[in-house]
Amino acid sequence: MSEIGISAAAAEFGRDMEQSYATIAALIDQARARGSDLLVLPEACLGGYLPSLGGGDESEAARERRLRALPPALALDGPELRRVVDLAGDLVVTLGFCEADGPTRYNAAVTLHGDGILGSYRKVHQPLGENLCYDAGDRYAAFDTPIGRMGMQICYDKAFPEAARALALDGAEIVTSLSAWPTARTAQAAALADDRWTQRFDIYDRARATENQVVWVASNQAGTFGSLRFVCSAKIVGPGGEILATTGTDPGLASARLDVRAELDAIRGGGMYNLRDRRPEVYGDVVAPNLVTGTQLSREQRPASLRGAGVPAHA
């Protein structure tokens, strides 16, 4: 067992690709200077995020303007990510970008280092009209890296306990959560720390780490882009939910050193090992088809294992 250094960035990224590379290079230098082995950069740090969020009807002219304003779509094996591979060297780096798969676009993330791409992910959960710009991913999978087994998710994914749990059950010891998480769209607070979306961001980070007993590394965009103002709040959370380092609501780099395996063994070996103590046979409704009206599953809709005595039926 040995310690590793982890850094998470709250930094501003826009459409200017050369500026993005310069910012990434500077953050890599800072992370190296702090002895980090892993650097987690924000969602959409190559080419920037969407200038606004929100669905609804739009004219054809508005649709064309929206599509022209999208970030550049990059291939996994393209020169743009190769350039970051060359910058990374022996540092493991996680970053977000817009992935092209033929004509299809995904809000995506990769983990890479000097030998190439170690893992890739396409965002599953899409908020506030993001589906007008991107297709959704369809899986969560952990992967092995030089610093341990990792998993990735992006922004709104953190609001869904099932997403982090899927990665933990696949053996992820470190989960990286990349975001372009903005302030609330209505009733915004004057101070970022008081904004209710800032508070949700922090609650989700600590909850996902605690309930899965994993190391949680959250990055975020900083500054503004289009109509969005980002909450920063990059952080590293230990498997007991303790915040090991954070940027707060300022841009910067949150860094910590820890022995990941020792931390996990200590929290999971204390008698409360959440993954071991699960009771999946009673969770049928959690993974049943969506019922978004607030109703519960009828007896007939429940999995067969849950139709016995003691399980109430709801019309």
Side-chain angles (χ1 to χ4, degrees):
M1 298 183 185
S2 60
E3 286 189 345
I4 63 169
I6 300 174
S7 288
E12 187 169 356
F13 292 91
R15 289 287 184 268
D16 188 327
M17 291 286 285
E18 288 304 316
Q19 181 58 55
S20 294
Y21 288 123
T23 301
I24 290 170
L27 290 168
I28 285 175
D29 287 345
Q30 292 177 42
R32 281 207 180 96
R34 298 184 185 190
S36 295
D37 302 283
L38 169 66
L39 169 63
V40 181
L41 299 168
E43 174 184 8
C45 69
L46 277 180
Y49 186 55
L50 305 177
S52 64
L53 290 172
D57 295 333
E58 62 179 349
S59 66
E60 183 60 28
R63 177 179 180 276
E64 290 177 2
R65 285 196 301 272
R66 174 174 56 77
L67 293 177
R68 286 197 300 270
L70 294 180
L74 313 177
L76 272 177
D77 59 355
E80 298 87 0
L81 286 174
R82 181 72 243 178
R83 188 166 170 181
V84 184
V85 166
D86 294 339
L87 289 170
D90 60 357
L91 183 67
V92 177
V93 178
T94 301
L95 71 151
F97 70 108
C98 174
E99 181 188 351
D101 185 359
T104 305
R105 292 171 180 257
Y106 295 95
N107 188 343
V110 291
T111 294
L112 51 77
H113 74 349
D115 289 342
I117 292 175
L118 303 169
S120 64
Y121 167 69
R122 293 168 172 173
K123 186 176 181 180
V124 170
H125 296 98
Q126 298 179 305
L128 298 173
E130 197 178 89
N131 63 310
L132 299 174
C133 303
Y134 300 114
D135 277 35
D138 60 6
R139 70 188 187 101
Y140 291 100
F143 53 95
D144 294 319
T145 79
I147 59 167
R149 192 158 174 83
M150 291 177 56
M152 295 181 286
Q153 53 177 234
I154 298 175
C155 205
Y156 190 39
D157 285 326
K158 75 173 67 192
F160 297 86
E162 301 89 345
R165 180 54 53 87
L167 290 169
L169 290 173
D170 198 24
E173 300 170 327
I174 301 170
V175 175
T176 61
S177 178
L178 296 70
S179 291
W181 189 284
T183 57
R185 297 197 298 167
T186 59
Q188 295 181 353
L192 277 178
D194 297 328
D195 189 273
R196 66 184 186 277
W197 282 22
T198 302
Q199 294 170 7
R200 290 175 190 175
F201 187 88
D202 293 338
I203 289 168
Y204 287 142
D205 287 338
R206 298 188 72 176
R208 299 296 87 86
T210 307
E211 67 199 6
N212 293 292
Q213 298 173 310
V214 297
V215 175
W216 187 269
V217 189
S219 61
N220 198 19
Q221 291 263 359
T224 61
F225 187 74
S227 64
L228 304 178
R229 179 189 182 201
F230 301 108
V231 307
C232 298
S233 301
K235 65 178 71 64
I236 302 156
V237 186
E242 64 281 11
I243 296 177
L244 304 177
T246 180
T247 65
T249 53
D250 295 318
L253 206 59
S255 301
R257 294 193 64 81
L258 67 159
D259 185 328
V260 173
R261 187 69 260 166
E263 293 277 350
L264 267 58
D265 287 346
I267 198 75
R268 295 174 176 183
M272 295 176 66
Y273 182 9
N274 296 359
L275 301 182
R276 178 199 63 202
D277 296 338
R278 294 166 60 248
R279 292 287 307 283
E281 68 275 12
V282 303
Y283 305 150
D285 287 10
V286 173
V287 293
N290 275 347
L291 294 178
V292 296
T293 62
T295 61
Q296 294 179 290
L297 296 181
S298 69
R299 185 174 185 277
E300 291 71 28
Q301 290 172 312
R302 292 175 181 268
S305 62
L306 301 184
R307 295 176 188 165
V311 180
H314 300 272

